[in-house]
Amino acid sequence: MRLLILGTGGMANQHAANFKAIEGVSVVGGVDVVPERLAAFCTEHGIANHFTTLEEALAWGEFDAVANVTPDRIHHPTTLQAIAAGKHVFCEKPLATDAIKAMEMTEAIERSGKVGMVNFTYRNSPALQKGRQMVLAGEIGQVRHVEASHLQSWLVGRHWGDWKSESKWLWRLSKKHGSNGALGDIGIHIVDFASYGSGLDVAHVFARLKTFDKAPGHKIGEYDLDANDSFTMNVDFTGGAIGTIQATRTAAGQMDQLRLRVYGETGSIEMIYDTGKSTLRACLDEDVHTATWRDVSFDPVETNYQRFVQAVRAGKTQEPSFRRAANIQKVLDKALASDLSHADEALG
């Protein structure tokens, strides 16, 4: 499989490294509007062909698939261009900045017959995959309650750099630069994590979003710091369960932690991904009478990158698909609407 990487910012390095490690995959081209960044990226990863526009790359055409690692608002137009040119697409999350655009992309890829998948990174957690299997196997009975959180702290600590001076972080705080804030950036991950791990879909959302005062006049240079930094959701799931989903970039002491607890009628399961480390615990069977939690072992799982390559070779999309990402985007759109209306919003 010959792969073109579109957008050569920070996350593109993960795409290049992971795809190059898969036997039979060649990263043959890179695209970026910033020539210096593009040149440095292609040199680092040994990529022979580089282009400053997607149009130039498509005119060349010597590739089978595109890894779309552009900023969120650019996913929609560029992915549609790639689909129209007959390419498979592996898109960074979110698929689009709203559900209407995401569904347009979904319908386009499905009509084309090409593979379209979205990089919900935390699907790579073996604890999540094993925990979901246990829930679906009925090991905790019918799900009744769900707690989910995604905690980061890069607005507090400098472990990933100084957000006040680096554009790769500042754009994530600015609506006019295409950001939907914590909701769009990490909210999409924890909603997917909670829904996938519990085996349930969100039916209703009641949400609150908060943007904190981070600079004089809520502005640094060209960046208006108006995107949300934290959110909470109360949700109803299909099947009758209820739950809470929350995320923030201000949780000092938590570099990148996703935690999901699924409580059922006969037991509970906890799935944690914490800055690269997965943990799985359960309270099952007789342990429910003593409130005893035990570690659960799990095996390694394939990554999204590996599944995408397999899907292209087989000609059949695997999960997480464009349609899955579009449905998760509907939840985020309803959360935004709920914050404005101060009312419960139903998923249609």
Side-chain angles (χ1 to χ4, degrees), residues 154-171:
W154 56 267
L155 286 179
V156 182
R158 291 189 293 273
H159 41 78
W160 290 343
D162 183 3
W163 67 266
K164 295 180 180 179
S165 61
E166 297 182 28
S167 61
K168 67 179 181 179
W169 302 114
L170 283 167
W171 82 264

Side-chain angles (χ1 to χ4, degrees), residues 1 88 113 115 306-318:
M1 190 185 83
H88 305 284
V115 169
Q306 292 170 317
R307 284 193 291 271
F308 177 70
V309 173
Q310 292 172 0
V312 169
R313 288 172 175 165
K316 185 176 181 180
T317 294
Q318 295 190 32

Side-chain angles (χ1 to χ4, degrees), residues 140-166:
I140 62 170
Q142 184 176 358
V143 176
R144 291 177 170 171
H145 193 94
V146 175
E147 296 177 358
S149 62
H150 193 163
L151 307 177
Q152 294 183 342
S153 58
W154 56 267
L155 286 179
V156 182
R158 291 189 293 273
H159 41 78
W160 290 343
D162 183 3
W163 67 266
K164 295 180 180 179
S165 61
E166 297 182 28

